[in-house]
Amino acid sequence: MQILAFGDSLTAGYGLAPGEGFTEQLEVWLNENAEVAIEVINAGVSGDTSSGGRARLEWGLAPVKDGKPDLVILELGANDGLRGIDPHITAENIDAMAATLAERDIPVLIAGMMAPPNLGPDYAAVFNPIFPDTAEKYGFPLYPFFLDGVAADASLNQSDGMHPTAEGVKIIVEKIGPVVLEALGL
């Protein structure tokens, strides 16, 4: 089975040594917990926004057999929030990617993100529902917050306070792993 992890630096493994990033740790975890071989393809681009992801979706699908992975983990939006991009733009981009994948009958796990608290409650009120609303619209499973259990914990983040350490990634993988298995029907 092939999973395409399509996202930003959180998917790409920014600041981590080989083997410590999300896709590598997830692949190991899945292969320890599933009875089939699973490959996780890293299609993360550090600094990518939802607009960038939307623009490169075709390219991201290209390395997968017939352009149709068994699952896409869609993890974008963090940089939109960090840059204060209008959440309506983010919503449009996430929806467009979900629509493209749904049209191709490619299963998707939406990895949600939360607005940075410094942008205030009005921004969060529009940004935070993007991910659950998109998952509901297309009938895709949702992992509500990709950084659950790691965000704001200095001991689990690199010195920039935004990117998880290898230990932080391990926590993410342990939390999202069962959801990925369920999305694969395993």
Side-chain angles (χ1 to χ4, degrees):
M1 300 188 92
Q2 289 184 315
I3 296 172
L4 183 71
F6 191 76
D8 51 35
S9 58
L10 300 173
T11 297
Y14 176 85
L16 298 172
E20 294 181 345
F22 172 70
T23 56
E24 295 104 334
Q25 288 199 47
L26 180 62
E27 184 173 285
V28 168
W29 189 95
L30 290 170
N31 283 293
E32 289 173 351
N33 291 279
E35 296 187 17
V36 297
I38 301 172
E39 175 189 14
V40 181
I41 298 166
N42 188 340
V45 173
S46 292
D48 218 356
T49 61
S50 63
S51 296
R54 183 177 179 181
R56 70 180 175 86
L57 184 58
E58 294 295 331
W59 166 84
L61 291 168
V64 182
K65 184 179 184 299
D66 301 323
K68 192 170 178 180
D70 296 288
L71 179 69
V72 170
I73 300 172
L74 185 58
E75 180 277 309
L76 283 162
N79 289 313
D80 296 54
L82 289 173
R83 297 175 190 177
I85 291 172
D86 181 339
H88 295 97
I89 293 171
T90 304
E92 181 181 306
N93 289 327
I94 299 293
D95 181 85
M97 288 182 280
T100 296
L101 295 165
E103 287 165 11
R104 294 183 187 191
D105 200 28
I106 297 172
V108 177
L109 171 60
I110 303 281
M113 191 51 59
M114 305 293 278
N118 63 310
L119 293 176
D122 292 342
Y123 186 91
V126 180
F127 184 91
N128 293 350
I130 291 170
F131 308 95
D133 289 354
T134 303
E136 183 178 345
K137 178 178 178 180
Y138 293 97
F140 291 150
L142 171 71
Y143 185 73
F145 182 41
F146 187 75
L147 296 171
D148 182 35
V150 176
D153 184 334
S155 70
L156 297 173
N157 284 279
Q158 298 175 42
S159 61
D160 64 10
M162 295 184 290
H163 295 95
T165 61
E167 185 60 32
V169 171
K170 181 180 179 192
I171 291 169
I172 293 168
V173 166
E174 288 171 353
K175 287 176 167 277
I176 201 172
V179 180
V180 173
L181 287 176
E182 187 175 332
L184 289 169
L186 300 175

